[in-house]
Amino acid sequence: DIQMTQSPSSLSASVGDRVTITCRASQSISSYLNWYQQKPGKAPNLLIYAASSLQSGVPSRFSGSGSGTDFTLTISSLQPEDFATYYCQQSYSTPFTFGPGTEVEIK
Amino acid sequence: EVQLVESGGGLVQPGGSLRVSCAASGFTFSSYEMNWVRQAPGKGLEWVSYISSSGSTMYYADSVKGRFTISRDNAKNSLYLQMNSLRAEDTAVYYCARGARGIRFAFDIWGQGTMVTVSS
């Protein structure tokens, strides 16, 4: 199975900050990497697919990059509604594993 | 409105069985791949199972293989997960999630989830 790791596991940031979250796969997954946002008590929401494509309806302050084993999610200017947990997910092969999550908290 | 609504969760004893369902509306259900994803209390997301649009192909996580069965009824716009030989570690919120069209195994629409608790 492909293992996914994320760093950091949590971070504190202020509104307006630029935030970067890293996701690493245990083997090459090409660009088959997706990012989700989850708020407490809610279902996840797809933000980025295929490493760098913005899902319809998602604000342009979210962006993704990377290929192979190393990927990043960037929020260019953090907004109050962005405080949530972010998960990466590989869609290269079954089982479609998720990273452990990165919790973005208010500083 | 595109919507997925899960039902059927509840409290079940270890070794017991439960079937959870997911009702789809607002889109052509028969054209989409579907998945189950679960989340244990306070934990991260775990993909559980996949089914193709026709129902001919299924995949499972090793943790549930041989115990859980995914199925669908395209005439009823419904997805199911039959869970047998349940264990305490199966306790989680179970989400149904639609496979995004043309995007390899990304999940673009999620239900609100149904809680399954395995305990004596």
Side-chain angles (χ1 to χ4, degrees), chain B residues 42-80:
Chain B
K43 302 297 184 181
L45 301 168
E46 180 187 15
W47 170 80
V48 172
S49 186
Y50 156 94
I51 189 166
S52 62
S53 56
S54 66
S56 61
T57 301
M58 291 85 80
Y59 302 129
Y60 297 94
D62 286 347
S63 58
V64 306
K65 199 173 295 182
R67 300 188 298 122
F68 289 13
T69 302
I70 190 171
S71 63
R72 64 191 297 160
D73 185 335
N74 285 343
K76 294 184 177 179
N77 293 333
S78 293
L79 175 73
Y80 307 101

Side-chain angles (χ1 to χ4, degrees), chain A residues 30-96:
Chain A
S30 186
S31 295
Y32 297 114
L33 191 284
N34 311 305
W35 289 98
Y36 299 85
Q37 176 194 67
Q38 187 180 33
K39 297 180 180 179
K42 301 294 187 181
N45 181 48
L46 178 64
L47 299 175
I48 301 286
Y49 63 91
S52 61
S53 296
L54 192 68
Q55 173 68 354
S56 175
V58 174
S60 59
R61 63 182 179 272
F62 291 93
S63 64
S65 64
S67 65
T69 60
D70 295 319
F71 303 86
T72 59
L73 173 71
T74 300
I75 310 172
S76 60
S77 178
L78 198 66
Q79 298 302 299
E81 60 267 32
D82 300 337
F83 292 95
T85 300
Y86 294 84
Y87 295 93
C88 60
Q89 174 238 338
Q90 64 85 13
S91 52
Y92 181 79
S93 65
T94 60
F96 304 122

Side-chain angles (χ1 to χ4, degrees), chain B residues 7-69:
Chain B
S7 61
L11 175 64
V12 60
Q13 292 188 336
S17 298
L18 197 66
R19 187 178 86 157
V20 292
S21 303
C22 172
S25 59
F27 64 99
T28 305
F29 179 72
S30 60
S31 297
Y32 286 83
E33 302 168 342
M34 297 295 297
N35 297 265
W36 288 100
V37 178
R38 69 183 180 183
Q39 187 169 36
K43 302 297 184 181
L45 301 168
E46 180 187 15
W47 170 80
V48 172
S49 186
Y50 156 94
I51 189 166
S52 62
S53 56
S54 66
S56 61
T57 301
M58 291 85 80
Y59 302 129
Y60 297 94
D62 286 347
S63 58
V64 306
K65 199 173 295 182
R67 300 188 298 122
F68 289 13
T69 302

Side-chain angles (χ1 to χ4, degrees), chain B residues 96-109:
Chain B
C96 62
R98 189 180 80 171
R101 286 288 293 275
I103 303 171
R104 182 183 170 94
F105 302 120
F107 314 134
D108 66 343
I109 301 294

